[in-house]
Amino acid sequence: QVQLVESGGGLVEPGGSLRLSCAASGMIFSIYAMGWYRQGPGKQRELVARISSRGITNYADSVKGRFTISRDNAKNMMYLQMNSLKPEDTAVYYCNTQFENTYWGQGTQVTVSS
C-alpha cells in the first residue's frame, strides 16, 4: 500500500533553515503530483507547496521566496527546503499525494522559536 514517511523536522531559531524529506513507497512515484501541507496550533491544515509530476511548482503566498519544493523521482523522494523560517511557520508538516485516494504521512514537527 501507499506509504509516505516524513523526516527532517525539529527546533530552529527564527531566520534558520530546515530541509524536510518525504519518502514514498507503494506507488509509481514519478507520475503523480506531490504536496506539502502544514497544520499549526489551533489552525486548519493548509497547502504549503505542490510539485507536479513534471516538476512544475506552486507555493502558498506565505512561503514564496523562502521555501523550495523539489523531487527526485529516481529515489521516490520529495523535499522541502525551508529558509528564513519564522515563528508562524511552526506546524506539523505533512507529505501528501492524491490519485485513487488521498494519502498522508504521519507528519513531522517544525518549531521555530528562540
Side-chain angles (χ1 to χ4, degrees):
Q1 72 272 21
V2 176
Q3 191 169 17
L4 304 173
V5 180
E6 303 95 336
S7 62
L11 173 64
V12 63
E13 293 186 348
S17 298
L18 282 175
R19 188 194 194 207
L20 304 184
S21 299
C22 172
S25 60
M27 60 181 285
I28 306 173
F29 180 79
S30 62
I31 67 173
Y32 295 111
M34 300 290 297
W36 286 101
Y37 285 73
R38 68 185 180 187
Q39 187 165 15
K43 298 181 180 179
Q44 291 189 333
R45 193 172 297 190
E46 63 176 358
L47 176 67
V48 175
R50 191 170 193 81
I51 185 165
S52 74
S53 59
R54 297 183 179 184
I56 298 170
T57 60
N58 58 75
Y59 298 91
D61 287 344
S62 59
V63 308
K64 280 181 183 176
R66 300 188 298 122
F67 291 11
T68 303
I69 189 172
S70 61
R71 64 190 296 161
D72 185 336
N73 289 339
K75 296 182 179 180
N76 285 11
M77 295 290 294
M78 179 178 66
Y79 306 99
L80 186 68
Q81 178 66 44
M82 306 186 295
N83 298 329
S84 302
L85 282 161
K86 304 175 181 180
E88 51 263 43
D89 295 317
T90 295
V92 178
Y93 285 71
Y94 297 93
C95 179
N96 165 275
T97 191
Q98 301 175 46
F99 40 103
E100 295 171 346
N101 293 298
T102 299
Y103 300 96
W104 298 97
Q106 83 287 352
T108 186
Q109 176 71 47
V110 172
T111 302
V112 184
S113 175
S114 54

